[in-house]
Amino acid sequence: MSEKKRLRRDRRSDTPPKMRLTERDVDILKAVAEYRILRQDHIQQLFFGSKSTAQYRLSHLYQHGFLNRHFLPVYAGWSPTLYTLDKRGVALLKAACGIDRVNLWDAENGHEFLSHTLAINNFRVAVTVACRQAGYTLAQWIGEASLKADYDRVTITAPNGKKQSVSLIPDSYFTIETPKGRASFFLEMDMGTMTLGRFQNKIRAYLAYLESKAYQQRYQTRSLRVLTVTTSAARSANLKAATEHIHRERLFWFTHQALVTVDQVLHAPIWQLVGQEVQLPLIPR
């Protein structure tokens, strides 16, 4: 009985199994540092071919203090395992990899922030693996924290005709290189809490950003699509309709989280485009 208690998922063993760090282990630690928090299935998709192999290796990294474990509330008898860097993992990245700034996940972050971060990471993992399978290059990914630390402001005209200065902070910016060229994207991860009025102001901000040439100057490209991933098909349709009141050109694309999988995110017709009723793939084969 004591052995079972000692080996609970949220407890470390006093005598962990021997392990030797591998290059893949270090790559896992780097990924967790970059994403800040990842579900076990995310790490499996990125680094392993099977669930059992992922569980075995992640257990060793946890037992030896390189990773920490967190658990969401139990739903239907199942609680996903979340991984963040632990102190030994931070020390290794700083000493062996020269990574000076590593931000540990703050356990005090609320459920809303956690849900938003995991939704972004779920999308990013799907895009990363889909690009790998298709032979594309995910050339760049700038996350939410970096964009918040250095953001642009634009002036928009509100519905009442008044000018107002607003910040423009996407949830991510990324570029994909394909045989047909480079495609650039902003990601908006909508969790269903923003009013349609506020969302329309965000659309106005993107349009003002492009018109001002600030986007082109900062990212050195004219290519751009703004992707909004939201909570349901109904919410996606509502945001699309709200956008069409302002702008109807091929800039804003919409889908919902249940459709975002490795097999579908790039090549399946899961995206709704303003001004059109037909659903399209993000990148045609």
Side-chain angles (χ1 to χ4, degrees):
M1 180 66 72
S2 61
E3 181 69 12
K4 289 183 179 180
K5 287 184 178 180
R6 188 161 57 86
L7 296 180
R8 277 172 41 183
R9 291 196 301 163
D10 59 345
R11 295 288 186 272
R12 288 193 172 102
S13 171
D14 294 331
T15 56
K18 292 182 179 180
M19 73 171 292
R20 180 178 63 85
L21 276 176
T22 66
E23 185 176 339
R24 181 172 62 181
D25 292 335
V26 176
D27 288 339
I28 291 170
L29 297 179
K30 289 178 181 177
V32 175
E34 187 170 351
Y35 284 79
R36 297 191 67 197
I37 187 165
L38 284 172
R39 292 198 314 259
Q40 178 177 292
D41 61 294
H42 290 153
I43 300 174
Q44 177 187 331
Q45 287 179 299
L46 290 170
F47 295 102
F48 296 95
S50 71
K51 180 178 179 179
S52 60
T53 306
Q55 286 178 327
Y56 176 83
R57 203 62 199 169
L58 290 173
S59 175
H60 279 60
L61 289 171
Y62 168 68
Q63 291 295 338
H64 284 267
F66 293 101
L67 293 176
N68 202 356
R69 282 175 174 168
H70 313 267
F71 301 95
L72 292 174
V74 175
Y75 297 105
W78 178 76
S79 173
T81 306
L82 308 177
Y83 284 93
T84 60
L85 274 186
D86 212 340
K87 293 179 181 178
R88 195 175 178 192
V90 173
L92 183 142
L93 292 181
K94 289 182 177 180
C97 305
I99 300 176
D100 294 328
R101 297 185 62 184
V102 179
N103 295 319
L104 286 173
W105 178 261
D106 187 352
E108 298 301 317
N109 287 326
H111 178 73
E112 183 176 335
F113 184 77
L114 173 62
S115 298
H116 186 247
T117 301
L118 287 175
I120 294 171
N121 289 350
N122 191 68
F123 181 87
R124 181 177 178 180
V125 169
V127 169
T128 299
V129 178
C131 284
R132 183 190 303 164
Q133 292 179 352
Y136 303 155
T137 299
L138 184 57
Q140 183 181 31
W141 190 289
I142 304 175
E144 182 182 21
S146 297
L147 292 169
K148 279 184 176 179
D150 181 22
Y151 59 86
D152 293 312
R153 297 189 68 87
V154 295
T155 300
I156 65 171
T157 302
N160 60 10
K162 292 185 177 180
K163 302 283 187 181
Q164 66 182 94
S165 176
V166 297
S167 57
L168 183 68
I169 310 174
D171 288 318
S172 293
Y173 174 80
F174 64 100
T175 58
I176 298 174
E177 292 181 354
T178 77
K180 294 184 178 181
R182 174 176 286 205
S184 301
F185 307 92
F186 279 133
L187 172 66
E188 289 289 337
M189 186 60 65
D190 173 76
M191 303 305 289
T193 57
M194 184 180 296
T195 66
L196 293 181
R198 281 186 60 203
F199 184 80
Q200 286 178 320
N201 276 346
K202 184 165 284 193
I203 297 300
R204 293 184 181 98
Y206 276 116
L207 294 173
Y209 193 43
L210 289 173
E211 290 172 2
S212 71
K213 308 297 184 184
Y215 168 75
Q216 185 176 339
Q217 292 171 4
R218 178 165 184 163
Y219 295 97
Q220 297 299 302
T221 182
R222 294 181 180 179
S223 166
L224 180 64
R225 278 176 277 176
V226 180
L227 310 180
T228 299
V229 180
T230 189
T231 52
S232 67
R235 174 71 173 176
S236 179
N238 287 340
L239 295 180
K240 175 176 176 285
T243 302
E244 288 172 338
H245 284 294
I246 301 170
H247 186 80
R248 296 181 65 88
E249 296 182 15
R250 296 175 60 90
L251 177 61
F252 299 99
W253 296 59
F254 299 84
T255 193
H256 59 96
Q257 294 174 20
L259 299 180
V260 174
T261 65
V262 171
D263 295 333
Q264 297 191 139
V265 66
L266 297 183
H267 297 131
I270 66 169
W271 295 91
Q272 292 183 303
L273 179 60
V274 291
Q276 296 190 24
E277 296 304 317
V278 64
Q279 290 185 279
L280 300 171
L282 198 61
I283 300 176
R285 289 187 183 274

